[in-house]
Amino acid sequence: MLRYLARKLLWTAPVLFAATTCAFLVLHLIPGDPVNLMLSGRPASEKVRENLRAKLGLNRPLPEQYAHFVLHAARGDFGQSFATGQPVSQVIAQQLPASLQLAGSGFLIGVAGGLLLGIAAGLYPNTVIDGIAMFIALVGISMPGYWTAMLLIYVFGLRLGWVPIVGSGLPVLILPSIVFGSYAIGNLARLVRSSIIDVRGEDYIRTARAKGLPERRVVLRHALRNALFPVVAMMGLLLGLFIGGGVITETVFARQGVGALLVTSILTKDYPVVQALILLTTAAYVFANVLVDLLYGVLDPRVRYG
Amino acid sequence: MSKMRDGRLSRRSLLGGAAAAALAGSALSELVSEASAQGRADAAVTWGEDQDYATLDPRVTQSRHEAQAIMQMFESLLFLDTDGKFYPWLAQRWEYSKDGKSIMFVLRRDVKFHDGTPFNAEAVKFTFDTIVDPKLGSQGAIDFLGPYKSTDVLGPYTVRVNWTEPFAAALTNLSNPWLLSIVSPTAVRRLGNDGFARNPVGTGPFKFVEWVPRVRVVMERNEEYRWAPRVFRRQGPAALRRLVIRIIPDATTRVAALEKGEIDVCDQVPPIEVRRFQGSRDFDVMVGDVSGIPLSHLINTQAPPTNDLRVRQAYMYAINRPQVVQQVFFGVAKPAYGPITPTTPGYWPGVEKMYPYDPAKARQLLDEAGWKVGSGGIREKNGRPLEIHFITLLEPDLEVAVQAAAKEVGIKLNVETVTKAKQDEMVMHAQYNIGEIRWVAVDPSVLDIPFFSRNIPAPGKFKFNWSRYGSPELDRLLRQADGQVDVKQRQQTLAQIQKYVLDRALMFPVHVSAQPIGFRRIVRNLKFAQGYWQVLFYEATVS
Amino acid sequence: MVREPVAVPAHLAGAPPRRILARLARTRRYPIATLAALVLLLIAVAAVLAPAVSPYDPSAMATGPPLAPPGATHPFGTDRYGRDVLSRIVYGARISMPVGLLAVSFSAVLGSFLGLATGFLGGRVDAIGSGAIDIMLGFPPIMLALLIIAVLGVGLQNVVIAVGVGGIPRFARIVRGTAISIRENVYVEAGRALGASTGRLILRHVLPNAFPPIVVLATLYIGSAILDTSSLGFLGLGVQPPTPEWGTMLSEGREFMRYAPWLMFFPGMMVFVTVVAINLVGDHLRTALDPRLRAR
């Protein structure tokens, strides 16, 4: 298992390096001068532009900029944001808590909702309960996130006034978490349902049934164990997605967060921030995958790492 | 100018007490403010801001949004009020040299920076000299200093600022409270330029407390403050104990925050919300008619079909500006007719008669130019349809309405929404017929930017003469206005420039940018700063 | 907005096309999937016949008062310019459906090519190809889409590419798996022994076998492609106004949520109904093609 882990981790290095290089090249393909974007349409003189270019190191040749970037990135230094002049690590660190809060609470809602629906549907397959649960799951994966968000804002924020739309603290997190979690609910519910149905067909359940043990409890115990797998997989996915998934949710709810930061940074060509974010997301994705693999092994001794 | 003031008076009566009090002058507003001038001494007010901040250093900023915070904490040598008059501020007196190349300032002696550093001639020299230092990376102030040469310290409280040529915009620019404000030299030396940008130290009525990027800027009252310009009725420290700026980029959220009481003042209220607030018991709105260049279409005079004057003029006659503007802004913004707005010094009212809505004239001009109505109502010439390529970034909503109006006379306006990066690229490579601009500016010298021939964009050179029209005559007029220290003479030159630009249909002004500020009625005495974009909180009270 | 289509079971690979049709025919009794297919058909017909069925020109202004609520003359109300929302939604189907289909075809074709090449050829090609797939999977689709839009600019074709690229590695992975399993198959080895060319082997054996999972994945992916397209539109980076793309319409309606909720309600509803219908059909396809699921 250690060897497996070592190999997996070794593999992440070229992936991350390639991702970074791609990001650097792609960013420089984007039309437009970052200095102009910084000035956001304000009529600044050539003098201003030259000073800024020198200050940001944009007057150096591309290979030199790349080398500079890679050497510093290897040490965890991503430079300064063009937009705010802050160190990039600080810019991202400021956005992370909001994103993690959203991903965390969204994940909780997704797991709770998904398990509930999935178990209900799995225990009573092909009944009205199953139908309703699976319908909700279908709605969860088919609703456009921004639309869900707008409907929730309209009904609970504007019409009923039950939840605050802006501000801080737990109440503000409610609606965005529901939106963020709704996708997980749908997918998880489906996976849990089918794993429960699988378990019911297994021999040991039949044996238990024959022995007169209360079937539901047996099924639930085994099924839940099985259901942990999709939950773990989902966790990995969400961990990797918290940046991407946040883009829409954060935009609609006008929240802070890494997703919103990504959109603005790409549009304003804030190279240092985008590069760091790409690296961060890719890393999160890759490590999440490794983590999920490992967790599988912990949960199921039958899984062997070759 | 008198016409413009009338316009403002009528709006004032329309908007009621709080806004009226904000605009000093009338007897009514005196009464209103007497009643509410005291307010609660420990009040805090939160302003909802629509854009994120990057720096709080006046020497570095270029953003009118950052200005909202900066001008509460910093002060400049002169105060230019919205009435167009200069008042003493950090400078008590000033005097132009005979050649118009230098101005001598006698400074106040009782001013201290927030960090205790005394304000003096040295601080003025330090501020201006560091602005022109390339290492600072100044984005706005360096241009506002114009052809700056040097600052001479003539005594502890006397300075002379020198330019290499006469600089007519000097007084306006030096009165700018967010670009050429004076910074504490000790603080800059202690913190470095980057450090100062996050911990600004000025002389203004509010002191910096905290800045959480993308979230908020917090300021508190400067208890030592005794040097407010006399345009304010208040003297001494500000009425508010605390002033917070919350960054809420999304307009809907910002308005919701105002209604929930999470913020007290909200900038850029969407036009559709303005009517609702105006009629409400708890909220009100004051609308600033922003100075500078209105939202305008710059028409490329080099690319077909807009290289034909008749096509450009037809376009300008074809669009019913009052109607379009009403439709898109629900009466909140006013149509614009000239290259600078009515609240900008040097505005020439003659522009208002130049391109009335006249579709018949538009059709006639197009007929003359050889564009005949073809299939589907779109005009054609030599088998080619009359297509005008329009790139929009600022106001796609408006351009959709303009597109429909152009179609009425047979012009197919291809509106392409672009990102800023894409726009820059297309502008530099002349791949457009029409582009949009708008700027907040207080001095008419802003006209140089879209009309001076040296500002025609080229590959690698992003500039703003998008009409791509250069003529020695226009250059001469612009240069002349820039150097005319005499206000009357300058006004005449500016009128000529405005007429010249419209005669050749280089620019189609569409509407004056509106800054609708929504606020809770308990907040009183808000005052627009010069330019009608930012609000000064020095006098503000909460009842 | 980032949605991973539910993975296609590996044992799905291997069902020859003829059997697929037979299985689909046998499962006609599922009324919901039939209904969903009918809904899709209806939307498609409306899109094709848009000029005939929509009550107004979708870009004509002042067809009624601005921001008029739904009523007899404007069943879905009007927007800020007095344009008829229903007409715009009908014309919107002409954008969303084809963009979704094109984006998926884009990912399916390129993904299959990559998957076949890596899986069947193996060796160094596979090492490099798999690496590329892994790296592409490392980028969240929305980030890829944003970067591509940033490079290419906004507009219809670019949206197709931006949405499509995210799907490439997902198709590639599945096709690669199929290709590997088939490469080791007896009849392929026999074919090779008989001197059949690689191209011929791919055409004769690998493609037909990889077909069912591709179809299922593609169906499920159309839904997410439509969602992604409208999400880009919502962010202001997709199809541009005044083109009536559903996501763009929603974004335009956002400002007026309080006064004219129908501006955001109906376009969102259309995206939702379309995607639900596609998912239902996709689920049905998967069940029909998966013997294990069907046995239950």
Side-chain angles (χ1 to χ4, degrees), chain A residues 11 18 30-31 140-144 146-147 150 153-154 183 187 190 197-198 244 251-252 266 278 281-282 285, chain C residues 3-4 6 134-135 137 139-140 142-143 150-151 230-231 234 250 254 257 261 264-265 268-269 276 279 283 296:
Chain A
W11 171 234
I30 297 177
I141 51 174
S142 307
M143 286 275 271
Y146 50 86
W147 192 54
M150 283 165 79
I153 292 175
Y154 182 72
Y183 158 68
N187 261 332
R190 291 167 153 223
I197 292 177
D198 276 349
T251 309
V252 188
I266 288 183
I278 288 180
T281 336
T282 318
Y285 238 63
Chain C
R3 275 147 214 269
E4 299 271 345
V6 179
D134 270 2
I135 289 168
L137 281 174
F139 285 87
I142 179 76
M143 186 190 261
V151 173
S230 65
S231 299
F234 178 77
L250 241 159
R254 192 162 164 235
M257 187 151 76
M264 62 118 185
F265 182 76
M269 192 70 204
V276 163
N279 282 339
D283 282 349
R296 285 200 189 118

Side-chain angles (χ1 to χ4, degrees), chain C residues 114-145:
Chain C
L114 188 61
L116 284 175
T118 51
F120 200 73
L121 299 177
R124 197 166 295 165
V125 178
D126 189 27
I128 295 171
S130 311
I133 293 175
D134 270 2
I135 289 168
M136 282 172 84
L137 281 174
F139 285 87
I142 179 76
M143 186 190 261
L144 269 182

